[in-house]
Amino acid sequence: MTKGKRRIGVMGGTFDPIHYGHLVAAAEAAEEFRLEQVVFVPAGQPPHKRPETVTDARHRFLMTVLATVANDVFVVSRVDIDRPGPSYTVDTLTELQRLYGPETELYFITGADAMSQILQWKDGESLFEMCHFIAATRPGYSLMTFKKALGPVAQKFKDRIHPLQVPALAISSSDIRHRIRQGRSARYLLPDPVWHYIMKNGLYR
Ligand code: NAP
């Protein structure tokens, strides 16, 4: 943490759909790292997923807005959705740093599973020069898996990598999609307006 700089969280994810695990992770990160704001950034085209397996960005964006509207600290950005091509995190961070200015320190928050692949992301290692990383872990997740995947980089950038245990991340988007496909309820795993949006638009059937 650099003294005098404002700290902004960048919550990156596909959010297909957004659920309470994401919201709790963002709130915990904001409290623990004294973040002034958490910007939720739904990925436009997640670089590692086939486009036909991901719900239309318009739906994912609107669900993210519905889920975050009641919290003053949370905002939603369209930077990834409006940028054509794959949503590389290096481009997300460059754009947000430009928007927020050099006196802002960015904290990228995402799942530890996603982050353990970071060395395969575009510009991999150099991302650690751009911001801090908060790796949200599910119950039972072993940090050794994460450290092994990052190898010597984990030690080199240990001051920039912050694991964060989030028990509510027992909830997962893939489980919610699976439940709905099977005709089961997921109603209490995500905010009511998001549940109603999913039902109204027939998503995940
Ligand atoms: P993913 O592969 O769908 O997710 C991997 C795991 O992380 C899942 O368990 C997922 O749970 C969890 N997760 C994802 N976002 C989370 C968040 N914000 N907070 C807590 N847990 C989260 O990952 P993804 O969502 O598509 O991508 C995550 C971020 O990494 C996005 O911003 C994406 O653009 C970026 N990314 C960048 C590159 C690149 O630059 N080349 C490559 C891959 C990913 P849920 O399924 O429940 O969300």
Side-chain angles (χ1 to χ4, degrees), residues 40-92:
F40 284 70
V41 187
Q45 290 178 32
H48 57 313
K49 291 179 181 164
R50 292 202 322 276
E52 65 274 18
T53 64
V54 179
T55 306
D56 193 311
R58 178 179 50 106
H59 288 313
R60 293 184 291 105
F61 173 77
L62 285 175
M63 289 190 282
T64 307
V65 171
L66 288 172
T68 54
V69 72
N71 189 320
D72 287 345
V73 172
F74 295 167
V75 295
V76 187
S77 166
R78 294 186 59 92
V79 282
D80 273 9
I81 286 176
D82 289 344
R83 197 174 59 244
S87 304
Y88 294 122
T89 298
V90 62
D91 300 329
T92 314

Side-chain angles (χ1 to χ4, degrees), residues 11-15 19 22 25 41 43 46-49 80 87-90 108-114 120-122 136 138 169 171-174 177:
M11 184 76 172
T14 303
F15 303 130
H19 53 67
H22 298 129
V41 187
H48 57 313
K49 291 179 181 164
D80 273 9
S87 304
Y88 294 122
T89 298
V90 62
F108 190 80
I109 311 159
T110 198
D113 280 340
Q120 278 93 62
W121 294 9
K122 188 176 172 210
R138 297 207 138 91
L169 276 177
I171 303 171
S172 81
S173 300
S174 55
R177 294 194 302 271

Side-chain angles (χ1 to χ4, degrees), residues 112-174:
D113 280 340
M115 219 175 268
S116 65
Q117 304 297 311
I118 204 164
L119 296 179
Q120 278 93 62
W121 294 9
K122 188 176 172 210
D123 292 347
E125 192 173 331
S126 66
L127 293 172
F128 292 107
E129 317 270 1
M130 301 178 77
C131 71
H132 286 258
F133 282 89
I134 300 175
T137 63
R138 297 207 138 91
Y141 184 86
S142 158
L143 276 180
M144 276 317 288
T145 321
F146 182 67
K147 285 192 176 147
K148 257 193 194 155
L150 292 189
V153 171
Q155 180 60 23
K156 184 172 171 193
F157 292 103
K158 63 180 188 321
D159 297 338
R160 294 225 146 200
I161 305 170
H162 314 280
L164 182 73
Q165 269 197 31
V166 184
L169 276 177
I171 303 171
S172 81
S173 300
S174 55

Side-chain angles (χ1 to χ4, degrees), residues 5-11 26 29-30 33-41 73-75 77 93 96-97 99-101 103-109 130-134:
K5 285 201 170 186
R6 68 200 285 235
R7 291 189 287 276
I8 299 290
V10 179
M11 184 76 172
F33 296 93
R34 284 179 279 122
L35 307 175
E36 195 177 302
Q37 208 172 56
V38 178
V39 187
F40 284 70
V41 187
V73 172
F74 295 167
V75 295
S77 166
L93 292 169
L96 290 175
Q97 192 72 67
L99 288 170
Y100 280 90
E103 287 313 305
T104 297
E105 213 166 25
L106 299 179
Y107 283 70
F108 190 80
I109 311 159
M130 301 178 77
C131 71
H132 286 258
F133 282 89
I134 300 175

Side-chain angles (χ1 to χ4, degrees), residues 177-185 204-205:
R177 294 194 302 271
H178 185 67
R179 280 167 170 271
I180 296 172
R181 211 174 301 123
Q182 295 199 318
R184 292 166 62 201
S185 178
Y204 310 120
R205 302 259 169 81

